[in-house]
Amino acid sequence: MSTLKAVRGTRDLLPPETELWNRVEETARRVFARYNFGEIRTPIFEDTSLFARSVGEETDIVSKEMYTWEDRARAQSEKAQSLTLRPENTAGVVRAYIEHKLGDKGLLQKLFYIGPQFRRERPQKGRYRQFWQIGAEVIGPPSAGSESPLRDAEVLEMLASFLNELGIKDWKLTLNSVGSASDRPRYIAALREALKDKAPKMCVDCQRRAETNPLRVLDCKVPEDQPIIEALPKIAEYLDDDSKTHFAAVCAALDACGVPYEVNPRLVRGLDYYTRTTFEFSHGGLGAQNALLGGGRYDGLSEAIGGPKAPGIGFAIGEDRLILTLQAQAEAAPGGLADAYVAPLGEAMNAPALELARELRRTGLRIELGDGSFRLKKSFEVGNKLASRIVLFGEDEQKSGILTVKDFATGEQVKVARADLIHHLRG
RNA sequence: GCGGCUAUAGUUCAGCGGCAGAACGCCUGACUGUGGCUCAGGAUGUCGUGGGUUCGAUCCCCACUAGCCGCCCCA
Protein backbone atom coordinates (compact mmCIF):
# COMPACT_ATOMS: atom_id res chain seq x y z
CA MET A 1 0.00 0.00 0.00
CA SER A 2 1.39 3.37 -0.92
CA THR A 3 1.66 5.93 1.81
CA LEU A 4 -0.59 8.95 1.73
CA LYS A 5 0.88 12.16 0.43
CA ALA A 6 -0.30 15.72 -0.04
CA VAL A 7 -2.24 15.74 -3.31
CA ARG A 8 -0.65 17.00 -6.49
CA GLY A 9 -0.14 20.73 -6.53
CA THR A 10 -0.66 21.12 -2.77
CA ARG A 11 2.01 21.18 -0.10
CA ASP A 12 2.75 21.49 3.58
CA LEU A 13 4.39 24.65 4.81
CA LEU A 14 6.82 23.84 7.60
CA PRO A 15 9.05 25.75 9.97
CA PRO A 16 11.22 27.64 9.52
CA GLU A 17 9.56 28.65 6.24
CA THR A 18 6.32 29.45 8.02
CA GLU A 19 8.19 32.19 9.85
CA LEU A 20 8.68 33.89 6.49
CA TRP A 21 4.99 33.52 5.68
CA ASN A 22 4.09 35.19 8.94
CA ARG A 23 6.52 38.00 8.25
CA VAL A 24 4.96 38.59 4.83
CA GLU A 25 1.46 38.61 6.25
CA GLU A 26 2.37 40.83 9.18
CA THR A 27 3.98 43.30 6.82
CA ALA A 28 0.88 43.34 4.63
CA ARG A 29 -1.40 43.94 7.62
CA ARG A 30 0.83 46.69 8.95
CA VAL A 31 1.14 48.51 5.62
CA PHE A 32 -2.52 48.13 4.66
CA ALA A 33 -3.58 49.40 8.06
CA ARG A 34 -1.81 52.69 7.38
CA TYR A 35 -4.13 53.15 4.42
CA ASN A 36 -7.10 52.28 6.60
CA PHE A 37 -8.01 48.99 4.96
CA GLY A 38 -10.12 46.51 6.93
CA GLU A 39 -9.96 42.75 6.67
CA ILE A 40 -12.63 40.69 4.96
CA ARG A 41 -12.88 36.89 5.04
CA THR A 42 -15.14 35.35 2.46
CA PRO A 43 -16.06 31.66 2.09
CA ILE A 44 -13.61 29.36 0.39
CA PHE A 45 -16.37 28.07 -1.91
CA GLU A 46 -19.12 29.95 -3.67
CA ASP A 47 -21.92 29.36 -6.12
CA THR A 48 -20.28 28.44 -9.41
CA SER A 49 -22.16 31.08 -11.35
CA LEU A 50 -20.47 33.84 -9.35
CA PHE A 51 -17.16 33.02 -11.03
CA ALA A 52 -18.69 32.29 -14.41
CA ARG A 53 -20.31 35.73 -14.44
CA SER A 54 -17.41 37.74 -13.04
CA VAL A 55 -14.18 36.15 -14.18
CA GLY A 56 -15.71 35.24 -17.52
CA GLU A 57 -17.15 32.09 -19.03
CA GLU A 58 -14.51 31.94 -21.76
CA THR A 59 -11.44 32.43 -19.59
CA ASP A 60 -9.11 29.52 -18.92
CA ILE A 61 -9.85 29.79 -15.23
CA VAL A 62 -13.55 29.20 -15.61
CA SER A 63 -13.51 26.94 -18.63
CA LYS A 64 -10.98 24.42 -17.39
CA GLU A 65 -9.32 25.20 -14.07
CA MET A 66 -12.03 25.26 -11.45
CA TYR A 67 -12.72 22.70 -8.76
CA THR A 68 -16.46 22.37 -9.15
CA TRP A 69 -18.93 19.87 -7.73
CA GLU A 70 -22.64 19.39 -7.37
CA ASP A 71 -23.69 19.87 -3.78
CA ARG A 72 -26.23 17.45 -2.39
CA ALA A 73 -29.78 18.69 -2.82
CA ARG A 74 -31.22 19.81 0.49
CA ALA A 75 -34.67 18.43 -0.24
CA GLN A 76 -36.19 16.01 -2.66
CA SER A 77 -37.81 18.77 -4.67
CA GLU A 78 -34.69 20.90 -4.77
CA LYS A 79 -32.07 20.63 -7.41
CA ALA A 80 -28.43 20.27 -6.55
CA GLN A 81 -26.43 23.48 -6.40
CA SER A 82 -23.18 23.79 -8.28
CA LEU A 83 -20.38 24.95 -5.99
CA THR A 84 -16.79 25.92 -6.76
CA LEU A 85 -13.63 26.35 -4.72
CA ARG A 86 -12.72 29.99 -5.24
CA PRO A 87 -10.12 30.46 -8.02
CA GLU A 88 -9.62 34.09 -6.97
CA ASN A 89 -11.09 36.36 -4.33
CA THR A 90 -12.28 39.55 -6.02
CA ALA A 91 -15.57 37.99 -7.08
CA GLY A 92 -16.30 36.89 -3.51
CA VAL A 93 -15.47 40.31 -2.10
CA VAL A 94 -17.73 42.07 -4.59
CA ARG A 95 -20.51 39.54 -3.89
CA ALA A 96 -20.17 40.33 -0.17
CA TYR A 97 -20.16 44.05 -0.94
CA ILE A 98 -23.47 43.65 -2.73
CA GLU A 99 -24.99 41.21 -0.24
CA HIS A 100 -24.29 43.42 2.78
CA LYS A 101 -25.18 46.64 0.96
CA LEU A 102 -21.81 48.08 1.85
CA GLY A 103 -22.27 50.74 -0.82
CA ASP A 104 -25.27 52.19 0.98
CA LYS A 105 -22.99 53.88 3.46
CA GLY A 106 -21.99 56.20 0.66
CA LEU A 107 -18.34 55.68 1.45
CA LEU A 108 -15.50 53.91 -0.25
CA GLN A 109 -14.97 50.37 1.06
CA LYS A 110 -11.33 49.42 1.47
CA LEU A 111 -11.02 45.71 2.12
CA PHE A 112 -8.11 43.31 2.17
CA TYR A 113 -7.96 39.53 2.41
CA ILE A 114 -5.37 36.80 2.92
CA GLY A 115 -6.23 33.26 1.98
CA PRO A 116 -5.91 30.20 -0.23
CA GLN A 117 -7.27 30.04 -3.77
CA PHE A 118 -7.67 26.99 -5.99
CA ARG A 119 -6.98 26.38 -9.64
CA ARG A 120 -6.46 23.03 -11.30
CA GLU A 121 -3.40 23.82 -13.40
CA ARG A 122 -0.27 21.82 -14.09
CA PRO A 123 1.95 22.44 -11.04
CA GLN A 124 5.32 24.10 -11.47
CA LYS A 125 7.66 26.21 -9.42
CA GLY A 126 5.63 29.19 -8.25
CA ARG A 127 2.38 27.62 -9.37
CA TYR A 128 0.30 25.45 -7.12
CA ARG A 129 -3.24 24.13 -7.18
CA GLN A 130 -3.81 25.58 -3.74
CA PHE A 131 -2.00 28.87 -3.66
CA TRP A 132 -2.20 31.89 -1.40
CA GLN A 133 -3.16 35.39 -2.30
CA ILE A 134 -2.99 38.60 -0.38
CA GLY A 135 -5.32 41.04 -2.04
CA ALA A 136 -7.24 44.22 -1.53
CA GLU A 137 -10.15 46.01 -3.15
CA VAL A 138 -11.23 49.64 -3.16
CA ILE A 139 -14.86 49.73 -4.17
CA GLY A 140 -17.85 52.02 -3.73
CA PRO A 141 -20.53 54.09 -5.41
CA PRO A 142 -19.23 56.63 -7.92
CA SER A 143 -20.34 59.43 -5.58
CA ALA A 144 -17.73 58.20 -3.10
CA GLY A 145 -15.02 58.78 -5.66
CA SER A 146 -14.50 55.14 -6.55
CA GLU A 147 -13.69 55.99 -10.15
CA SER A 148 -11.05 58.53 -9.29
CA PRO A 149 -7.60 57.89 -10.77
CA LEU A 150 -6.27 58.93 -7.36
CA ARG A 151 -7.50 55.60 -6.01
CA ASP A 152 -5.53 53.72 -8.65
CA ALA A 153 -2.39 55.64 -7.85
CA GLU A 154 -2.88 55.24 -4.12
CA VAL A 155 -3.21 51.47 -4.44
CA LEU A 156 -0.07 51.30 -6.61
CA GLU A 157 1.85 53.48 -4.20
CA MET A 158 0.74 51.22 -1.35
CA LEU A 159 2.00 48.16 -3.20
CA ALA A 160 5.35 49.79 -3.85
CA SER A 161 5.63 50.57 -0.14
CA PHE A 162 4.67 47.03 0.77
CA LEU A 163 7.30 45.44 -1.49
CA ASN A 164 9.97 47.87 -0.33
CA GLU A 165 9.17 47.33 3.32
CA LEU A 166 9.33 43.58 2.81
CA GLY A 167 12.73 43.97 1.27
CA ILE A 168 11.88 42.76 -2.23
CA LYS A 169 14.58 44.10 -4.51
CA ASP A 170 14.32 44.96 -8.19
CA TRP A 171 10.58 44.73 -8.63
CA LYS A 172 9.14 46.23 -11.76
CA LEU A 173 5.75 47.85 -12.18
CA THR A 174 4.12 47.57 -15.58
CA LEU A 175 1.04 49.59 -16.32
CA ASN A 176 -1.56 49.82 -19.05
CA SER A 177 -5.12 50.83 -19.74
CA VAL A 178 -7.40 48.36 -21.44
CA GLY A 179 -10.12 50.95 -21.84
CA SER A 180 -13.69 51.17 -20.69
CA ALA A 181 -16.28 48.46 -21.04
CA SER A 182 -17.13 49.84 -24.47
CA ASP A 183 -13.56 50.57 -25.62
CA ARG A 184 -12.46 47.03 -25.11
CA PRO A 185 -14.89 45.25 -27.44
CA ARG A 186 -14.24 47.89 -30.13
CA TYR A 187 -10.54 47.28 -29.85
CA ILE A 188 -10.87 43.50 -29.91
CA ALA A 189 -12.99 43.77 -33.06
CA ALA A 190 -10.32 45.92 -34.70
CA LEU A 191 -7.65 43.48 -33.64
CA ARG A 192 -9.51 40.54 -35.13
CA GLU A 193 -9.95 42.47 -38.34
CA ALA A 194 -6.22 43.26 -38.55
CA LEU A 195 -5.26 39.71 -37.71
CA LYS A 196 -7.32 38.25 -40.53
CA ASP A 197 -4.48 38.49 -43.04
CA LYS A 198 -1.57 38.87 -40.56
CA ALA A 199 -2.18 35.80 -38.43
CA PRO A 200 -1.26 33.19 -41.07
CA LYS A 201 2.25 34.67 -41.15
CA MET A 202 2.68 34.32 -37.41
CA CYS A 203 3.64 31.46 -35.11
CA VAL A 204 1.22 28.60 -34.57
CA ASP A 205 0.34 29.83 -31.10
CA CYS A 206 -0.62 33.22 -32.48
CA GLN A 207 -2.72 31.67 -35.19
CA ARG A 208 -4.68 29.95 -32.49
CA ARG A 209 -4.81 33.04 -30.26
CA ALA A 210 -6.12 35.10 -33.14
CA GLU A 211 -9.20 32.92 -33.00
CA THR A 212 -9.61 32.28 -29.30
CA ASN A 213 -8.23 35.36 -27.59
CA PRO A 214 -6.82 38.06 -29.87
CA LEU A 215 -5.54 40.17 -26.94
CA ARG A 216 -3.12 37.37 -26.12
CA VAL A 217 -1.38 37.80 -29.48
CA LEU A 218 0.11 40.98 -28.01
CA ASP A 219 1.87 38.87 -25.40
CA CYS A 220 3.71 36.71 -27.94
CA LYS A 221 7.43 36.40 -27.33
CA VAL A 222 8.47 34.88 -30.67
CA PRO A 223 11.03 37.31 -32.17
CA GLU A 224 9.82 36.89 -35.75
CA ASP A 225 6.34 37.99 -34.78
CA GLN A 226 7.43 41.22 -33.13
CA PRO A 227 7.37 43.46 -36.25
CA ILE A 228 3.87 42.25 -37.06
CA ILE A 229 2.72 42.89 -33.52
CA GLU A 230 4.22 46.39 -33.59
CA ALA A 231 2.10 47.13 -36.64
CA LEU A 232 -1.16 45.97 -35.09
CA PRO A 233 -3.66 48.52 -33.81
CA LYS A 234 -2.79 49.82 -30.34
CA ILE A 235 -5.27 49.85 -27.49
CA ALA A 236 -4.33 53.47 -26.81
CA GLU A 237 -5.84 54.47 -30.14
CA TYR A 238 -9.17 53.00 -29.10
CA LEU A 239 -9.50 54.62 -25.70
CA ASP A 240 -12.25 57.17 -25.38
CA ASP A 241 -11.41 60.59 -23.93
CA ASP A 242 -12.47 59.66 -20.42
CA SER A 243 -10.23 56.61 -20.37
CA LYS A 244 -7.32 58.61 -21.76
CA THR A 245 -7.53 61.37 -19.18
CA HIS A 246 -8.09 58.82 -16.44
CA PHE A 247 -4.94 56.91 -17.38
CA ALA A 248 -2.93 60.12 -17.73
CA ALA A 249 -4.02 61.15 -14.25
CA VAL A 250 -2.90 57.81 -12.77
CA CYS A 251 0.52 58.23 -14.36
CA ALA A 252 0.80 61.84 -13.22
CA ALA A 253 0.01 60.90 -9.62
CA LEU A 254 2.62 58.13 -9.68
CA ASP A 255 5.17 60.55 -11.10
CA ALA A 256 4.36 63.00 -8.34
CA CYS A 257 5.11 60.51 -5.58
CA GLY A 258 8.09 58.98 -7.31
CA VAL A 259 6.84 55.44 -7.90
CA PRO A 260 8.71 54.09 -10.94
CA TYR A 261 6.68 52.34 -13.63
CA GLU A 262 6.68 51.45 -17.27
CA VAL A 263 3.71 51.72 -19.59
CA ASN A 264 3.31 48.60 -21.67
CA PRO A 265 0.49 48.82 -24.21
CA ARG A 266 0.65 45.07 -24.56
CA LEU A 267 -0.11 44.28 -20.93
CA VAL A 268 -3.45 42.52 -21.10
CA ARG A 269 -4.98 40.67 -18.22
CA GLY A 270 -6.80 37.42 -18.60
CA LEU A 271 -9.86 38.14 -16.50
CA ASP A 272 -12.88 39.54 -18.28
CA TYR A 273 -13.84 42.03 -15.61
CA TYR A 274 -10.84 44.34 -15.96
CA THR A 275 -11.43 47.82 -17.34
CA ARG A 276 -9.14 50.82 -17.76
CA THR A 277 -6.09 50.56 -15.47
CA THR A 278 -4.36 47.18 -15.38
CA PHE A 279 -1.01 46.50 -13.81
CA GLU A 280 1.50 43.89 -12.82
CA PHE A 281 4.51 43.83 -10.50
CA SER A 282 7.05 41.34 -11.74
CA HIS A 283 10.39 40.01 -10.66
CA GLY A 284 13.13 38.14 -12.52
CA GLY A 285 14.26 34.86 -11.03
CA LEU A 286 10.81 33.37 -10.86
CA GLY A 287 11.17 31.51 -14.14
CA ALA A 288 8.12 31.44 -16.33
CA GLN A 289 5.94 32.68 -13.48
CA ASN A 290 7.47 36.11 -13.16
CA ALA A 291 4.33 37.95 -12.05
CA LEU A 292 4.47 38.68 -8.34
CA LEU A 293 1.12 40.35 -8.30
CA GLY A 294 -1.45 41.65 -10.68
CA GLY A 295 -4.55 43.73 -10.63
CA GLY A 296 -6.61 46.42 -12.14
CA ARG A 297 -9.83 48.33 -12.27
CA TYR A 298 -13.20 46.59 -12.62
CA ASP A 299 -15.80 49.30 -13.11
CA GLY A 300 -18.57 47.01 -14.33
CA LEU A 301 -18.08 43.95 -12.15
CA SER A 302 -20.72 44.67 -9.52
CA GLU A 303 -23.39 45.23 -12.13
CA ALA A 304 -22.33 42.11 -14.01
CA ILE A 305 -23.29 40.01 -11.02
CA GLY A 306 -26.51 41.86 -10.29
CA GLY A 307 -25.32 44.58 -7.94
CA PRO A 308 -25.45 48.37 -7.99
CA LYS A 309 -22.98 50.47 -9.92
CA ALA A 310 -19.82 50.09 -7.89
CA PRO A 311 -16.56 50.75 -9.69
CA GLY A 312 -13.46 49.48 -8.00
CA ILE A 313 -9.80 48.67 -8.23
CA GLY A 314 -7.90 45.85 -6.64
CA PHE A 315 -4.99 43.49 -6.80
CA ALA A 316 -3.89 40.04 -5.79
CA ILE A 317 -0.40 39.24 -4.60
CA GLY A 318 0.88 35.71 -5.22
CA GLU A 319 2.11 34.97 -1.72
CA ASP A 320 3.84 31.72 -2.74
CA ARG A 321 5.85 33.63 -5.34
CA LEU A 322 6.66 36.42 -2.93
CA ILE A 323 8.09 33.83 -0.54
CA LEU A 324 10.13 32.24 -3.34
CA THR A 325 11.55 35.62 -4.22
CA LEU A 326 12.47 36.36 -0.63
CA GLN A 327 14.12 32.96 -0.30
CA ALA A 328 16.04 33.52 -3.54
CA GLN A 329 17.32 36.78 -2.12
CA ALA A 330 18.77 34.52 0.57
CA GLU A 331 18.66 36.87 3.48
CA ALA A 332 20.45 34.21 5.49
CA ALA A 333 17.68 32.91 7.69
CA PRO A 334 18.16 34.28 11.20
CA GLY A 335 18.26 30.77 12.64
CA GLY A 336 15.75 31.00 15.42
CA LEU A 337 17.87 29.94 18.39
CA ALA A 338 16.18 29.86 21.77
CA ASP A 339 17.56 32.08 24.53
CA ALA A 340 18.43 29.09 26.65
CA TYR A 341 18.31 25.32 26.84
CA VAL A 342 17.30 24.16 30.30
CA ALA A 343 18.96 20.80 30.95
CA PRO A 344 17.58 18.74 33.84
CA LEU A 345 20.22 16.35 35.15
CA GLY A 346 18.52 13.09 35.95
CA GLU A 347 14.89 12.22 35.44
CA ALA A 348 14.07 13.30 38.96
CA MET A 349 14.82 16.85 37.87
CA ASN A 350 12.34 16.87 34.99
CA ALA A 351 9.42 18.19 36.97
CA PRO A 352 11.39 20.92 38.78
CA ALA A 353 12.94 21.87 35.42
CA LEU A 354 9.52 22.32 33.86
CA GLU A 355 8.72 24.71 36.65
CA LEU A 356 11.96 26.62 36.08
CA ALA A 357 11.21 26.80 32.35
CA ARG A 358 7.74 28.08 33.09
CA GLU A 359 9.17 30.80 35.27
CA LEU A 360 11.56 31.90 32.52
CA ARG A 361 9.02 31.69 29.73
CA ARG A 362 6.59 33.89 31.63
CA THR A 363 9.07 36.73 31.27
CA GLY A 364 9.04 36.28 27.50
CA LEU A 365 12.27 34.34 27.20
CA ARG A 366 12.40 31.67 24.52
CA ILE A 367 13.25 28.43 26.31
CA GLU A 368 13.95 24.90 25.11
CA LEU A 369 13.43 22.30 27.81
CA GLY A 370 15.69 19.25 27.64
CA ASP A 371 15.20 15.85 29.20
CA GLY A 372 16.71 14.48 32.39
CA SER A 373 17.21 11.08 30.80
CA PHE A 374 19.83 12.52 28.47
CA ARG A 375 23.45 12.06 29.37
CA LEU A 376 25.11 15.40 30.02
CA LYS A 377 27.09 15.18 26.81
CA LYS A 378 23.91 14.74 24.84
CA SER A 379 22.28 17.67 26.59
CA PHE A 380 25.17 19.83 25.47
CA GLU A 381 25.00 18.53 21.93
CA VAL A 382 21.28 19.07 21.62
CA GLY A 383 21.40 22.37 23.47
CA ASN A 384 24.09 23.65 21.14
CA LYS A 385 21.77 23.13 18.20
CA LEU A 386 18.72 24.70 19.72
CA ALA A 387 19.81 27.55 21.94
CA SER A 388 22.52 30.11 22.51
CA ARG A 389 23.05 29.03 26.12
CA ILE A 390 22.59 26.01 28.35
CA VAL A 391 21.36 26.11 31.93
CA LEU A 392 22.36 23.07 34.00
CA PHE A 393 19.77 22.06 36.55
CA GLY A 394 20.67 19.10 38.76
CA GLU A 395 20.03 18.27 42.36
CA ASP A 396 23.05 20.30 43.49
CA GLU A 397 21.71 23.35 41.69
CA GLN A 398 18.27 22.85 43.11
CA LYS A 399 19.59 22.65 46.66
CA SER A 400 22.08 25.48 46.45
CA GLY A 401 20.01 27.73 44.21
CA ILE A 402 23.13 28.38 42.16
CA LEU A 403 22.80 27.34 38.51
CA THR A 404 25.50 26.79 35.94
CA VAL A 405 25.04 28.73 32.68
CA LYS A 406 27.29 28.23 29.70
CA ASP A 407 27.31 30.42 26.61
CA PHE A 408 27.75 28.28 23.51
CA ALA A 409 29.23 31.00 21.37
CA THR A 410 31.96 32.13 23.78
CA GLY A 411 32.35 28.93 25.79
CA GLU A 412 32.19 31.04 28.91
CA GLN A 413 30.66 29.29 31.92
CA VAL A 414 29.37 31.06 35.02
CA LYS A 415 27.47 30.34 38.21
CA VAL A 416 24.27 32.31 38.53
CA ALA A 417 21.90 32.53 41.47
CA ARG A 418 18.42 31.43 40.47
CA ALA A 419 17.05 34.83 41.42
CA ASP A 420 19.44 36.49 38.95
CA LEU A 421 18.87 33.99 36.15
CA ILE A 422 16.26 36.00 34.27
CA HIS A 423 18.42 39.08 34.39
CA HIS A 424 21.43 37.08 33.22
CA LEU A 425 19.61 35.50 30.29
CA ARG A 426 18.28 38.89 29.24
CA GLY A 427 21.74 40.34 28.96
C1' G B 1 -4.44 20.06 -21.21
C1' C B 2 0.54 19.38 -24.35
C1' G B 3 6.11 18.47 -24.67
C1' G B 4 10.94 17.36 -22.19
C1' C B 5 13.97 15.82 -17.87
C1' U B 6 14.00 13.33 -13.21
C1' A B 7 12.75 9.68 -8.88
C1' U B 8 18.60 5.22 -4.87
C1' A B 9 20.00 6.26 3.09
C1' G B 10 17.28 11.63 7.15
C1' U B 11 19.65 15.20 3.16
C1' U B 12 22.58 16.04 -1.41
C1' C B 13 23.84 12.69 -4.94
C1' A B 14 27.19 8.58 -7.33
C1' G B 15 26.44 3.60 -9.28
C1' C B 16 25.84 -1.27 -11.82
C1' G B 17 21.96 -7.02 -15.76
C1' G B 18 24.83 -10.76 -10.44
C1' C B 19 26.29 -8.98 -1.92
C1' A B 20 23.38 -1.45 -2.14
C1' G B 21 27.63 3.12 -2.31
C1' A B 22 29.95 8.29 -0.91
C1' A B 23 29.63 12.88 1.60
C1' C B 24 27.00 15.41 5.27
C1' G B 25 23.74 14.26 9.21
C1' C B 26 22.54 10.39 13.06
C1' C B 27 24.14 6.69 17.07
C1' U B 28 28.27 4.63 20.37
C1' G B 29 32.98 5.30 22.59
C1' A B 30 37.90 7.84 23.60
C1' C B 31 35.82 12.00 27.78
C1' U B 32 30.92 8.29 34.06
C1' G B 33 28.63 16.75 35.32
C1' U B 34 30.68 19.82 29.68
C1' G B 35 29.03 20.92 23.31
C1' G B 36 31.94 22.68 18.99
C1' C B 37 37.58 20.41 16.79
C1' U B 38 39.85 15.50 16.44
C1' C B 39 40.09 10.11 16.44
C1' A B 40 37.93 4.98 16.51
C1' G B 41 33.61 2.17 15.62
C1' G B 42 28.17 1.51 14.12
C1' A B 43 23.23 1.72 11.71
C1' U B 44 21.26 3.66 7.54
C1' G B 45 17.32 1.59 2.47
C1' U B 46 10.33 -1.76 0.03
C1' C B 47 16.59 1.66 -5.05
C1' G B 48 8.76 6.17 -6.23
C1' U B 49 4.35 2.37 -7.30
C1' G B 50 2.53 -1.67 -10.40
C1' G B 51 3.38 -4.89 -14.35
C1' G B 52 6.72 -7.11 -18.21
C1' U B 53 11.57 -9.17 -20.34
C1' U B 54 15.44 -12.34 -17.97
C1' C B 55 18.24 -17.99 -14.71
C1' G B 56 18.56 -13.26 -12.15
C1' A B 57 16.14 -6.25 -12.66
C1' U B 58 17.79 -0.81 -8.46
C1' C B 59 19.69 -1.07 -13.75
C1' C B 60 16.29 -2.86 -19.81
C1' C B 61 10.80 -2.16 -21.52
C1' C B 62 5.59 -0.43 -20.48
C1' A B 63 2.03 1.95 -17.44
C1' C B 64 1.00 4.91 -13.25
C1' U B 65 2.22 8.56 -9.53
C1' A B 66 5.03 12.73 -8.04
C1' G B 67 8.69 16.74 -8.70
C1' C B 68 11.30 20.10 -11.92
C1' C B 69 11.63 22.82 -16.76
C1' G B 70 9.07 24.73 -21.03
C1' C B 71 4.10 25.72 -23.54
C1' C B 72 -0.83 27.40 -22.48
C1' C B 73 -2.49 30.60 -18.83
C1' C B 74 -2.05 33.11 -14.44
C1' A B 75 -0.71 35.10 -8.70
Side-chain angles (χ1 to χ4, degrees), chain A residues 28 132 146 213 238 251 300 313 329 337 346 348 352 365 426:
Chain A
W132 291 70
S146 57
N213 192 349
Y238 287 80
C251 295
I313 180 163
Q329 288 184 189
L337 283 183
L365 285 165
R426 279 271 143 90

Side-chain angles (χ1 to χ4, degrees), chain A residues 361-386:
Chain A
R361 285 168 175 154
R362 284 171 110 165
T363 70
L365 285 165
R366 197 156 143 194
I367 302 298
E368 272 283 352
L369 179 58
D371 189 315
S373 69
F374 289 176
R375 292 169 306 102
L376 187 64
K377 179 186 165 83
K378 177 156 176 164
S379 287
F380 268 83
E381 284 170 352
V382 174
N384 189 34
K385 284 173 191 156
L386 297 175

Side-chain angles (χ1 to χ4, degrees), chain A residues 19 21-31 114 162:
Chain A
E19 220 168 288
W21 283 76
N22 282 323
R23 203 182 101 208
V24 166
E25 289 169 18
E26 279 160 17
T27 304
R29 287 173 189 279
R30 188 178 63 240
V31 172
I114 298 176
F162 168 70

Side-chain angles (χ1 to χ4, degrees), chain A residues 100-107 109 141:
Chain A
H100 301 288
K101 299 180 168 37
L102 298 181
D104 289 4
K105 293 172 182 166
L107 294 173
Q109 297 297 305

Side-chain angles (χ1 to χ4, degrees), chain A residues 85-134:
Chain A
L85 248 29
R86 63 186 187 197
E88 57 100 53
N89 219 331
T90 298
V93 171
V94 174
R95 193 224 78 233
Y97 170 91
I98 297 166
E99 184 169 335
H100 301 288
K101 299 180 168 37
L102 298 181
D104 289 4
K105 293 172 182 166
L107 294 173
L108 232 38
Q109 297 297 305
K110 296 194 280 192
L111 304 164
F112 79 89
Y113 59 84
I114 298 176
Q117 319 292 335
F118 306 85
R119 292 182 202 170
R120 199 180 182 292
E121 295 180 276
R122 179 86 164 244
Q124 237 176 86
K125 195 184 203 72
R127 166 185 294 170
Y128 307 98
R129 288 181 172 181
Q130 172 174 337
F131 60 102
W132 291 70
Q133 288 190 331
I134 300 175

Side-chain angles (χ1 to χ4, degrees), chain A residues 46-55 57 66 82 84 305:
Chain A
E46 300 262 4
D47 195 300
T48 302
S49 60
L50 171 64
F51 303 117
R53 287 160 66 185
S54 58
V55 176
E57 202 83 61
M66 294 201 303
S82 178
T84 293
I305 56 176

